[in-house]
Amino acid sequence: MLSLSLVNPHLEPSVVDEFSQAQRACYEEFSAEAAVSEVAQEDLLSGRVVYFVARDETGAMVEGLRLHLSFPGTKLPVEHTLSQLSQLARLLESRRQHGVAEVCGLWAYSRYRGTKLSNALVRTAVAAAPLCETNLLIALSHHYVVNHWAPIGFTAEPRLGVHSYPDARYFSKVILLDPVRLATAEPEHKWRILGLRQALRMHCPIFWSPETEEHVPVQPSEHVPVSSSSEHIAGIAQAEHPA
């Protein structure tokens, strides 16, 4: 059984290096380490970055992704990567005041590639997004995995083109999702995301079974001693607008 959790690096700083080392090791297998970017200390301290990680029974991290929150006066990783794309800048500026976040840095150890764990982790991030005051999710996804994001509701924005990122072997697209309405999500995924959102609100731990490749529901009365995702979310909300 794997645990899926939201981690605020301001409260658990050790997650930053653990995540970074694992991500780099995975990307190096594909000679794609150019896509690894270190998170600025300012972003970590201000609460603008949230980590979502899967851990096995030993507590080892086996997969992860980051959620970068954007507010007026800040930029997302995709804005730095596609800095010459004026259409992207205009889109994000028009939506930033309503809450925008980027899903990025997804990685998985080889044992879990090809399973449904990545979908489960992305769904968990989508579920948490509105709890972090986010109304638009964005990601830069390459052609090998972009179709896996579609059932969850992410759709490519054709006006933003196709990009050779992180290098010429890849054809990456900007994909978008409204995590509140979930109008573009397939019914099964929408139902699961809404269930995960309720679990996060109720402080329920989230598990995923490698055998069934499904989320394992846990009722509030069945709680095990884990870090509260809601506490992490509260910590993020308090840090979103530093003095």
Side-chain angles (χ1 to χ4, degrees):
M1 193 81 70
L2 275 64
S3 66
L4 309 185
S5 59
L6 177 161
V7 183
N8 181 347
H10 189 64
L11 301 178
E12 296 185 28
S14 62
V15 73
V16 178
D17 287 340
E18 185 180 7
F19 181 103
S20 179
Q21 291 171 14
Q23 181 195 25
R24 182 172 295 278
C26 288
Y27 283 22
E28 285 177 347
E29 293 181 38
F30 303 96
S31 300
E33 56 270 26
V36 177
S37 60
E38 300 299 329
V39 181
Q41 191 68 15
E42 178 185 356
D43 290 340
L44 293 172
L45 294 176
S46 65
R48 291 199 293 265
V49 180
V50 190
Y51 288 77
F52 291 82
V53 299
R55 295 184 181 277
D56 63 18
E57 295 87 346
T58 70
M61 192 183 296
V62 298
E63 183 162 353
L65 62 83
R66 297 192 307 264
L67 188 68
H68 288 246
L69 311 176
S70 180
F71 299 92
T74 69
K75 286 189 175 183
L76 295 168
V78 68
E79 294 180 85
H80 294 290
T81 300
L82 304 179
S83 59
Q84 304 303 314
L85 194 59
S86 59
Q87 301 98 314
L88 175 63
R90 288 195 296 269
L91 169 67
L92 293 179
E93 282 307 315
S94 69
R95 299 292 300 274
R96 213 181 300 269
Q97 64 178 329
H98 303 297
V100 178
E102 180 180 352
V103 181
C104 65
L106 179 65
W107 62 270
Y109 280 134
S110 57
R111 175 183 174 186
Y112 294 99
R113 292 175 199 151
T115 71
K116 296 180 181 178
L117 178 57
S118 292
N119 271 357
L121 198 61
V122 172
R123 281 197 301 259
T124 305
V126 172
L131 306 182
C132 300
E133 301 183 1
T134 293
N135 291 288
L136 176 67
L137 286 174
I138 186 171
L140 182 60
S141 181
H142 61 73
H143 63 287
Y144 291 113
V145 299
V146 68
N147 290 336
H148 295 289
W149 296 65
I152 298 172
F154 284 92
T155 58
E157 174 48 74
R159 294 174 297 176
L160 299 180
V162 180
H163 308 275
S164 298
Y165 177 82
D167 58 50
R169 296 173 298 164
Y170 297 89
F171 304 98
S172 299
K173 297 179 180 180
V174 175
I175 54 178
L176 305 171
L177 170 65
D178 178 341
V180 179
R181 294 190 301 159
L182 297 169
T184 52
E186 292 183 359
E188 177 186 354
H189 286 276
K190 181 175 182 178
W191 174 80
R192 292 178 186 278
I193 290 167
L194 294 176
L196 288 167
R197 189 167 297 159
Q198 183 64 11
L200 290 168
R201 285 196 180 105
M202 296 177 66
H203 301 207
C204 294
I206 297 169
F207 296 100
W208 183 84
S209 168
E211 289 75 25
T212 63
E213 296 198 330
E214 298 287 351
H215 287 288
V216 179
V218 176
Q219 300 302 319
S221 60
E222 301 177 77
H223 276 189
V224 295
V226 298
S227 299
S228 165
S229 293
S230 294
E231 289 178 2
H232 290 323
I233 293 171
I236 294 162
Q238 292 171 4
E240 280 176 358
H241 303 288

